[in-house]
Amino acid sequence: MADEAKAKGNAAFSAGDFSSAVKHFSDAISLAPSNHVLYSNRSAAYASLHNYSDALVDAKKTVELKPDWSKGYSRLGAAHLGLNQAQDAISAYRKGLEIDPNNEPLKSGLADAQAAASRSRSVPPPSPFGDAFSGPEMWAKLTADPSTRMYLQQPDFVKMMQDIQKNPSNLNLHLKDQRVMQALGVLLNVKFRAPNAGEDMDIPEDDSSPPPQQERKAEPPREEKVREPEPEPMEIPDEEKEAKERKAEAVKEKELGNAAYKKKNFETAIAHYTKAMELDDEDISYLTNRAAVYLETGQYEECIKDCDKAVERGRELRSDYKMVARALTRKGTALVKMAKCSQDFDPAIETFQKALTEHRNPDTLKKLNEAQRVKKELEQQEYFDPKLADEEREKGNEYFKQQKYPEAVRHYTESLRRNPNDPKAYSNRAACYTKLGALPEGLKDAEKCIELDPTFTKGYTRKGAVQFFMKEYEKAMETYQAGLKHDPQNQELLDGVRRCVDQLNKASRGDISPEDLKERQAKAMQDPEVQNILSDPVMRQVLVDFQENPKSAQEHMKNPMVMNKIQKLVNAGIVQIK
């Protein structure tokens, strides 16, 4: 409902009906009071009515809601400038340019404000009527008086009054215009005579003449009633009026198209959007909306044509970059639909990337990632060949026996490209990485091997070996024990457990070198579980009791939870038992 009220306000504004625009924007604000765009639009409508005080209030609200939006400062500057607050206007325009340095409306507004400030610093010749034209009160008086109200609908009159308001000395330049004289009379609360009115003319009460034989009695002179001059009618040029009417009609057609689209009356929606385009070719949203209908109905070629036209026309008109990005995203979506048949996702990926250079929209980024994912899967499916994968794995085994580990890694990698679900190839490559000292890569391959086949004990021996070489003995023992659940008699796993126990016992007895102990303690301190134990006030007291209070220590040893934590510290080399 707020969007509908906003659309009506935009249509009224485009048609020059600023009072109606204010009403519609106010309705929208009551429904969406936190939408900064609505306050910005109403500020523009108030400014068009020369109601700069209310325009300033809305502009300040816009900036408050969206301080990083440059257009809000444009509205703020315009309102200050309308109130002859040139320095405040300069400050507003400069803040906007800090956000968007290349914004032309802000640059133009700043130039106008600086020119106004320069004029205010120069001392013009005093004008006896200067106060009559100052502030927004001038427009209020002219609007309230029936004799001048109609003039405010005439652009040339409004321009003259703005010129006089900026510099009252310019009044002399416009005194020949009877409308200006009439306005001056209203502002000064005096009435001027109509041109050529006789100073001593008596105005009879009616047109009847006295009888010939009766002399007219002398009447006392009366105050002369001067008829106010009628202003010459001023009309808006037909071309300008027609253009506004066409734009307003185009907005109505778009709204009808949106309503039809929501009801899935796609043919009707296309007809309305097409009509809107014929009425107004300077709004690319009509093209992108029609493209959305074509996309929905599977007419992908037509959708792409409309999107290309929207991008081309949008760049000609310097439309909002978000609108251009929307057209490119919609085109990319259509290309994805077509790629499901052609298996060629490159055009769609390229189009999404172009859209992101215009505007980094999260939805566009998501669609790009999805297109890249599908493309990768298709490439993997085309390359998938289990037979060739086995051949490459055997070649890798031969090089492993010859201790040519880099060559073996290359063949295992090719085997995995041909069949990424083979746990044996991951296990073999993990062994190669371990021999080469590339322990993180070896650990990753071993974990992938276990993930693909949890019953494949080689994966546990590979992972345990890597952890052992990384001196993570407790973790290695846990890995070996996990493997023994699947094969309790596996000798490699049993030997691995034994080696880990030996190393942990050495640490608990203090039978390792100071360098090894220091390294083990440093690694242990990075373990979140060890950190939690050492930061626990209760466990800190337990450790103190083990050193200073044997009686309390014996009580602690009866608590299985406490002893498990103590054993964890012993295994980590943090605590030693002598």
Side-chain angles (χ1 to χ4, degrees):
M1 293 176 66
D3 288 341
E4 291 178 4
K6 175 187 172 185
K8 291 179 182 178
N10 290 341
F13 189 93
S14 300
D17 188 356
F18 305 121
S19 297
S20 295
V22 167
K23 177 183 178 299
H24 291 307
F25 290 137
S26 298
D27 291 341
I29 288 171
S30 66
L31 295 167
S34 61
N35 188 329
H36 62 283
V37 176
L38 299 177
Y39 289 98
S40 170
N41 289 5
R42 191 170 69 175
S43 177
Y46 276 134
S48 299
L49 291 169
H50 310 292
N51 184 354
Y52 296 110
S53 298
D54 287 338
L56 181 61
V57 172
D58 275 357
K60 287 181 177 179
K61 185 66 175 178
T62 303
V63 172
E64 176 189 336
L65 291 171
K66 188 72 172 174
D68 59 347
W69 193 43
S70 61
K71 185 174 286 188
Y73 295 95
S74 178
R75 302 294 192 214
L76 188 61
H80 278 307
L81 196 57
L83 294 171
N84 293 322
Q85 299 167 353
Q87 291 301 327
D88 290 332
I90 290 172
S91 176
Y93 286 126
R94 283 177 175 170
K95 286 180 181 178
L97 287 169
E98 289 176 5
I99 298 170
D100 188 359
N102 298 318
N103 190 294
E104 291 301 327
L106 285 170
K107 291 180 181 179
S108 176
L110 177 60
D112 291 342
Q114 289 172 333
S118 177
R119 288 195 298 271
S120 65
R121 285 194 295 269
S122 62
V123 182
S127 170
F129 307 117
D131 293 340
F133 299 98
S134 62
E137 292 80 6
M138 179 189 81
W139 300 105
K141 288 181 179 180
L142 295 178
T143 302
D145 194 286
S147 65
T148 55
R149 186 182 303 141
M150 65 176 64
Y151 298 159
L152 296 178
Q153 302 298 322
Q154 301 171 8
D156 63 329
F157 172 76
V158 172
K159 185 175 182 181
M160 283 190 289
M161 295 306 294
Q162 288 174 337
D163 184 40
I164 296 169
Q165 190 177 46
K166 289 180 181 178
N167 186 358
S169 299
N170 291 339
L171 175 63
N172 295 329
L173 302 176
H174 305 293
L175 285 177
K176 293 182 179 180
D177 193 303
Q178 294 302 318
R179 295 171 297 168
V180 175
M181 290 295 294
Q182 184 70 24
L184 181 60
V186 169
L187 296 175
L188 297 177
N189 201 23
V190 298
K191 292 186 177 181
F192 294 105
R193 294 180 183 275
N196 304 321
E199 292 183 2
D200 300 322
M201 181 184 298
D202 287 335
I203 301 177
E205 294 182 0
D206 53 41
D207 293 335
S208 60
S209 300
Q213 67 275 16
Q214 182 179 356
E215 294 183 0
R216 179 183 295 273
K217 293 182 179 180
E219 297 179 357
R222 307 191 291 272
E223 183 180 349
E224 179 183 0
K225 296 180 181 177
V226 180
R227 185 176 181 182
E228 297 175 357
E230 293 289 338
E232 295 183 5
M234 298 292 291
E235 296 183 357
I236 299 175
D238 291 341
E239 295 82 0
E240 182 180 347
K241 183 177 180 181
E242 183 181 352
K244 288 183 177 180
E245 290 176 351
R246 288 172 66 86
K247 286 182 179 293
E249 186 64 27
V251 171
K252 291 180 181 178
E253 290 291 336
K254 176 184 175 182
E255 292 174 354
L256 292 171
N258 292 345
Y261 179 83
K262 290 177 182 177
K263 295 178 181 178
K264 298 190 179 298
N265 295 333
F266 298 125
E267 291 299 327
T268 303
I270 289 174
H272 285 300
Y273 292 140
T274 303
K275 182 64 175 177
M277 291 159 49
E278 294 170 355
L279 291 166
D280 179 12
D281 67 344
E282 294 185 353
D283 188 339
I284 64 172
S285 69
Y286 307 143
L287 274 166
T288 56
N289 282 18
R290 191 173 72 173
V293 182
Y294 285 137
L295 181 65
E296 186 74 18
T297 56
Q299 301 178 67
Y300 304 129
E301 293 287 354
E302 296 300 322
C303 172
I304 291 171
K305 287 179 183 178
D306 272 3
C307 290
D308 286 338
K309 289 178 185 176
V311 172
E312 181 181 358
R313 187 64 175 142
R315 286 177 175 154
E316 288 176 2
L317 298 169
R318 296 187 178 181
S319 300
D320 188 343
Y321 53 84
K322 292 181 181 179
M323 292 295 296
V324 175
R326 182 182 300 173
L328 287 167
T329 300
R330 199 149 285 167
K331 176 183 177 181
T333 305
L335 289 169
V336 166
K337 299 286 187 181
M338 297 172 68
K340 290 180 179 178
C341 297
S342 65
Q343 306 294 305
D344 183 7
F345 283 83
D346 286 336
I349 291 172
E350 182 181 355
T351 303
F352 286 138
Q353 290 170 337
K354 287 180 180 179
L356 289 170
T357 62
E358 297 286 342
H359 174 56
R360 195 163 183 81
N361 183 286
D363 182 59
T364 305
L365 182 60
K366 181 179 178 181
K367 290 184 176 183
L368 170 63
N369 292 336
E370 179 63 16
Q372 291 174 330
R373 183 190 66 79
V374 174
K375 177 188 174 184
K376 184 177 179 180
E377 288 181 355
L378 286 173
E379 290 174 347
Q380 289 177 344
Q381 290 174 8
E382 292 176 359
Y383 208 70
F384 183 78
D385 191 330
K387 184 177 179 181
L388 290 177
D390 290 341
E391 292 177 4
E392 289 293 331
R393 179 162 48 79
E394 289 301 325
K395 290 178 183 178
N397 292 342
E398 291 299 321
Y399 280 110
F400 187 88
K401 292 175 184 177
Q402 300 172 28
Q403 299 184 0
K404 295 180 179 180
Y405 303 120
E407 291 83 353
V409 167
R410 187 172 67 251
H411 285 289
Y412 290 140
T413 300
E414 179 63 21
S415 174
L416 288 169
R417 290 184 63 198
R418 292 291 182 180
N419 182 7
N421 298 319
D422 181 8
K424 293 179 183 179
Y426 279 109
S427 171
N428 292 1
R429 193 170 68 172
C432 282
Y433 280 138
T434 305
K435 294 290 186 181
L436 292 169
L439 300 181
E441 291 80 358
L443 181 62
K444 185 178 178 181
D445 272 3
E447 289 176 340
K448 184 65 176 179
C449 173
I450 295 172
E451 177 189 333
L452 291 171
D453 187 357
T455 65
F456 186 52
T457 55
K458 276 289 184 182
Y460 296 97
T461 59
R462 303 300 189 204
K463 182 179 178 180
V466 172
Q467 291 170 325
F468 188 88
F469 284 121
M470 295 173 75
K471 298 183 179 180
E472 296 177 349
Y473 302 120
E474 188 174 0
K475 291 182 179 180
M477 188 165 67
E478 291 175 358
T479 299
Y480 288 133
Q481 289 173 339
L484 287 170
K485 292 179 182 178
H486 300 286
D487 187 359
Q489 303 302 320
N490 187 288
Q491 193 60 45
E492 285 186 88
L493 295 172
L494 292 170
D495 290 342
V497 170
R498 179 183 52 76
R499 289 195 303 271
C500 291
V501 170
D502 289 344
Q503 290 297 325
L504 291 172
N505 287 337
K506 285 182 180 180
S508 65
R509 295 192 304 268
D511 292 341
I512 59 176
S513 66
E515 292 78 11
D516 287 345
L517 179 61
K518 185 177 180 180
E519 182 181 353
R520 183 177 298 184
Q521 290 173 340
K523 285 186 176 181
M525 293 303 295
Q526 298 176 2
D527 187 337
E529 187 178 352
V530 172
Q531 293 174 2
N532 290 334
I533 294 172
L534 294 176
S535 63
D536 184 353
V538 174
M539 286 304 300
R540 287 206 299 268
Q541 184 60 47
V542 169
L543 294 174
V544 171
D545 289 343
F546 266 89
Q547 288 182 330
E548 301 176 358
N549 192 340
K551 186 176 181 181
S552 296
Q554 290 178 0
E555 292 297 324
H556 293 316
M557 292 176 68
K558 296 177 182 179
N559 188 331
M561 186 178 297
V562 170
M563 290 310 299
N564 285 337
K565 292 181 178 181
I566 293 294
Q567 187 62 47
K568 177 73 177 180
L569 297 178
V570 170
N571 294 340
I574 303 296
V575 173
Q576 296 181 8
I577 300 176
K578 297 183 179 179

